[in-house]
Amino acid sequence: MPDNPARAATGGPAPARLGPATSPQTVAIELTINGRPRRLAVAPWTTLLDLLREELDLTGTKKGCDHGQCGSCTVLLDGQRINACLVLAVMKDGSAVTTVEGLSGPDGALHPMQEAFIEHDAFQCGYCTPGQICSAVALVEEGRARAPDEIRELMSGNICRCGAYPNIVAAIQQVLASNGGAGR
Amino acid sequence: MPPIPNAETHVGSPRSRVDGRAKVTGGARYSAEFTAPDLAHGYVVNSTVAKGRITGIDTAAALAAPGVLAVFTHENRPRTAWFSYKYQDEVAPPGTPFRPLYDDKVVYSGQPVALVVAESFDAARHGASLVRVSYQAEAHETDLTSRMGEAYEPPKKRSGISPPPKPRGDAPGAYADSPVKVSGGYWAAYEHHNPMEPHATTVVWEGGGKLLVHDKNQGVLNAQSYVSSVFGLGKDDVRVVTPFVGGGFGSGLRPQYQLFLAVMAALELRRSVRVVLTRDQMFTHVYRPNTFQTVKLGANPDGTLRSIQHHSVTGTSQFEDYQEVVVNWTGTLYHCDNVELTQKLAKLDTYTPGDMRAPGAPTGLFAAESAMDELAYATGVDPIELRLKNYTEHDENEGKQFSSKELRACYEVGAERFGWSERNPEPRSMREGRELIGWGMASGAWEAQMMKTSARAVLTADGKLEVACATADIGTGTYTILTQIGADAFGLRMEDVTTRLGDTTLPYSPVEGGSWTAASAGTAVQLACEAVREKLFKHAQKASGSPLAGAKLDAVSFAGGRIEVTADPDRFVTIADAMRAGGVDRLEAEETANPSKIDQLRYTGYTHSAIFVEVRVDEELGVVRVTRVVDAVAAGKILNPKTARSQVVGGIVWGIGMALEEETLPDHNLGRFMNHNLAEYHVPVAADVQGIEVIFVDEHDTKVSPIGVKGLGEIGIVGTAAAIANAIYHATGKRIRDMPITIDKVLG
Ligand code: FES
Ligand code: FES
């Protein structure tokens, strides 16, 4: 096989490694991620989602659309649920981010929402699941949802193509009930 | 060989998913999430015309951009297989498969025309934005309505897809003579699978020409043979490992173009490469075709069918004749002596459509079961009564017995639970405030198949079992049911069993699809476990003074880490002692499950369902809400009622999407899809899905598969859209034959 016909035929520059990955001007920020403070150098255009997935290997947070249309990338930013694909990491200097990897205890004990998702079979393929769980955890904190209709409405930013919705609602209801139905 | 009885502790009982913890903690890795040192990233550039030639690709700016390593186009594509058949895969329809970056021809809008590879994802994406492609566009046709006149019967049948049966009797004549007639034309829109995980491939360059490929697919062996055939690599050099699949629904049956591109780049650059498609690129490969159908039913005044005519025309690409079963369902579900069913294709300048959840069935049943509802109104016979009147115990298409058919029980149990007897058939007879309420029902059917599949079981002296098969768990629960089967075979706890899937080094499995995996892989695991049990039993009998001496295998049970005489459990040998007696510390067996040829000749296997739906239709706004669904399903043995219910619920949610929301809208001037994102391609969200009840009707079937399983992946969707359309008719008096039934059609 010739060395690199792609380069030869297009007459482009040699594919030598170009120093740091994309050699942009990076910006130094500090984020607390799952309780751990981290100093990071990020390109100004890097989304929080790409930072988590591509650079920190926190792949529990999923990319389903990259356009704020599916909820797969939901994380907690200073306790609020947000779509990590719609946030540039540089804008959130000093914030605290909790991803699905940060929900369980240090001893590996699952968060009640994670337990409830397993118990109610609230997922199939599991791809939307981290986003659903982060969204659900925040929903309970928000204290706005009580009736199933409210849960359905307030969880409608998280698409589950496997159609696990009835079970997701049941899991959230269980956690709400054990919380006395209000935010903690 | 009939399964040796052992107590069923786990099989048949609701069990949580064994991969649950991995999925709720973010520990489950999908194909774009494997990493490698020195990983390069590819980003695809897609064509902007539907047909024509590429006259030039200017890659200079992209190549000059920071971090860009290479730009691959048809001009510099490395050598790949010359013959198009080399690109064929296990499920390819007749034709010549699409070959990415093959030449300057553009055959559909969105076709990949370049791959930019860079040091980072950002850099690749930026580079891709700098590639300039010029085209000489040619006139294209993407509108099925304008190709209807040239529709043809596919000369070559797609393997595994039953073509329509030969006509029976004289359907047109009997129709003309029928005292009651209904007829209509039905339209089904393009749909895209949109699994939440976009298609992605990470190729890990392992040196020495060896590739470790993580690819989103529904069959690692299919992906492996595609790669080895296209790139001329030995199978030993390509290992495909896909432990988790973020939804498939058919989109991962055939290799998608990111697999080709990632492997090509990795081989050329001799380093690891990942290619991930964006959501809008997920609209540039497989989809559910749009289909036009006509149905004519002729009947006696009491509803007895005299004639069925069901014809379809489905769009396909210029290069392949994609086929799915659209029209056969009416002939399978009902008794009728005069039946004419045909399926035609029309060629369009699009990518080849493909299998999407229950390919053909919900489309065909939407037409057939809408027509049956219409016939119920035309004759004044209750819809269930009408279906019972035309019930058949034979598959008249095939001239065979059903291996089992508890559809009658589905109608009964479903109607009872739904409260169907309270229904006033009069349209517009129920209302609450601004909303009209409608109740509708439909029947569902899907083929129950079993495919040749192998599995391995390994038992170790510590009482742990590993079962393994190359098949996939695309969210269907395969890991869990195979664990249940393995655990029960040895009387173990589920925690003592590990199931491995999705790896080309594991025993053979076809692609995961068609609802056949539980029956096939389940039987294979059962057989492999039985073989290990036999070996273990022999060793146990060898122990000096063995309490099992003289016992027969069918008189012992495996429970709690030991083998005991069923009638006298105090006589036992532990697994560890049996292995010691045999001088081994592990026992292994690989077995292959084959469908019974004799049973296949005599019987056809189908799952059935009766689905009941309540809709509420806002009369002023035209908004339709599905407020209640009861689905009674006959699917043989249910291995795990918990995951089984989820699968059927998921199918019903798909049916709601198909009936009311999902539609990829082409712009025929441009020959491309316009709404290629999840904001404009609507899939059901939580607010669209209310009470869904699934009932599994008892059904005993030993012919369909040795473990009595029929499969559940498709049965949930099949009748749902029809039942919703029928409920909308009941609510509004409007018979809408054009899916999805959106607000404009309800108000129109
Ligand atoms: S990936 Fe962020 S909303 Fe879809
Ligand atoms: S579990 Fe598959 S998308 Fe939700």
Side-chain angles (χ1 to χ4, degrees), chain A residues 78-91:
Chain A
D78 298 324
Q80 305 253 322
R81 47 178 170 161
I82 55 126
N83 290 334
C85 70
L86 291 185
V87 171
L88 295 175
V90 287
M91 296 163 63

Side-chain angles (χ1 to χ4, degrees), chain A residues 49 62-73 83-86:
Chain A
L49 178 59
K62 305 302 182 194
K63 186 185 278 190
C65 69
D66 222 8
H67 282 64
Q69 298 170 343
C70 77
S72 299
C73 63
N83 290 334
C85 70
L86 291 185

Side-chain angles (χ1 to χ4, degrees), chain A residues 15-26:
Chain A
R17 213 56 37 74
L18 295 176
T22 50
S23 64
Q25 296 209 314
T26 54

Side-chain angles (χ1 to χ4, degrees), chain B residues 169-182:
Chain B
D170 170 20
Y175 179 76
D177 293 346
S178 292
V180 186
K181 301 181 175 84
V182 299

Side-chain angles (χ1 to χ4, degrees), chain A residues 1-7 9-13 15-18 21-23 43 45-46 50 53-54 57 59-66 69-70 72 100-101 104 108-110 114 117-121 123-130 133 149 152-153 155-156 159-163 165-167 169, chain B residues 16-17 20-21 23-26 28-30 32-33 38 41 59 63 66-67 69-72 76 119-123 125 192-198 245-247 249 267-271 274 279 356 474-475 642-643 645-647 649-650 653-654 662 677-679 681 683-687 689-690:
Chain A
M1 212 173 284
D3 186 37
N4 185 355
R7 181 194 354 141
T10 49
R17 213 56 37 74
L18 295 176
T22 50
S23 64
W45 54 74
T46 299
D50 286 339
R53 283 174 65 83
E54 303 291 329
D57 199 30
T59 54
T61 308
K62 305 302 182 194
K63 186 185 278 190
C65 69
D66 222 8
Q69 298 170 343
C70 77
S72 299
V100 73
E101 289 95 340
S104 36
L110 295 179
Q114 292 171 312
F117 265 61
I118 295 178
E119 193 181 327
H120 289 273
D121 206 33
F123 52 88
Q124 294 177 41
C125 78
Y127 197 80
C128 73
T129 311
I133 290 175
D149 266 348
R152 284 194 275 264
E153 184 63 33
M155 285 298 291
S156 280
I159 296 176
C160 175
R161 187 54 160 161
C162 294
Y165 300 123
N167 298 354
V169 173
Chain B
S16 294
R17 280 169 208 266
R21 191 183 170 94
K23 285 177 174 172
V24 302
T25 55
R29 275 194 195 256
Y30 299 80
E33 298 166 355
D38 216 20
H41 299 255
T59 59
L63 285 164
L69 297 167
V71 181
F72 295 93
N76 65 1
E119 296 285 357
S120 73
F121 169 71
D122 293 346
R125 179 175 54 189
H192 278 75
H193 303 67
N194 278 308
M196 290 319 296
E197 178 203 16
V245 183
F249 316 113
L267 289 172
E268 275 311 295
L269 300 173
R270 296 172 176 266
R271 64 185 278 191
R274 178 192 294 158
R279 180 55 58 184
M356 179 162 161
I474 60 171
K642 190 173 189 169
T643 54
R645 175 183 169 273
S646 296
Q647 244 187 313
V649 166
V653 171
W654 271 61
E662 294 186 41
N677 60 70
L678 291 171
Y681 181 95
V683 300
V685 296
V689 179
Q690 303 190 30

Side-chain angles (χ1 to χ4, degrees), chain A residues 125-145:
Chain A
C125 78
Y127 197 80
C128 73
T129 311
Q132 301 278 1
I133 290 175
C134 287
S135 200
V137 166
L139 177 77
V140 171
E141 294 287 343
E142 288 159 16
R144 286 191 289 157

